[in-house]
Amino acid sequence: MTVLAYTIDHAAGPIQARGHKPAPLGPLGPLDVALTHTGICQTDLGMIDDHYGQSRFPFVPGPRKKP
């Protein structure tokens, strides 16, 4: 399954919409969720600009699973 993700390719770079193939969800199997709104926080803005020196690009800001 391909989803639309807004990505940044380098620090302080422009945000681009592109298709993204997420990792499998795990033992529960596929799940359909109707997402109507999302947001980013101050930490995401710092990661977009690589203020913390820890960003890995391409970067997709917003909610994500912790490693």
Side-chain angles (χ1 to χ4, degrees), residues 11-58:
I15 297 174
Q16 301 175 351
R18 62 173 64 136
H20 172 70
K21 196 162 195 149
L25 293 175
L28 296 177
L31 176 68
D32 288 327
V33 176
L35 182 65
T36 60
H37 296 79
T38 188
I40 60 173
C41 67
Q42 185 65 33
T43 304
D44 289 319
L45 296 175
M47 294 293 285
I48 288 169
D49 293 335
D50 198 20
H51 285 183
Y52 312 109
Q54 298 178 0
S55 299
R56 291 184 295 174
F57 296 95

Side-chain angles (χ1 to χ4, degrees), residues 4-21:
L4 182 63
Y6 291 90
T7 64
I8 297 94
D9 289 329
H10 54 83
I15 297 174
Q16 301 175 351
R18 62 173 64 136
H20 172 70
K21 196 162 195 149

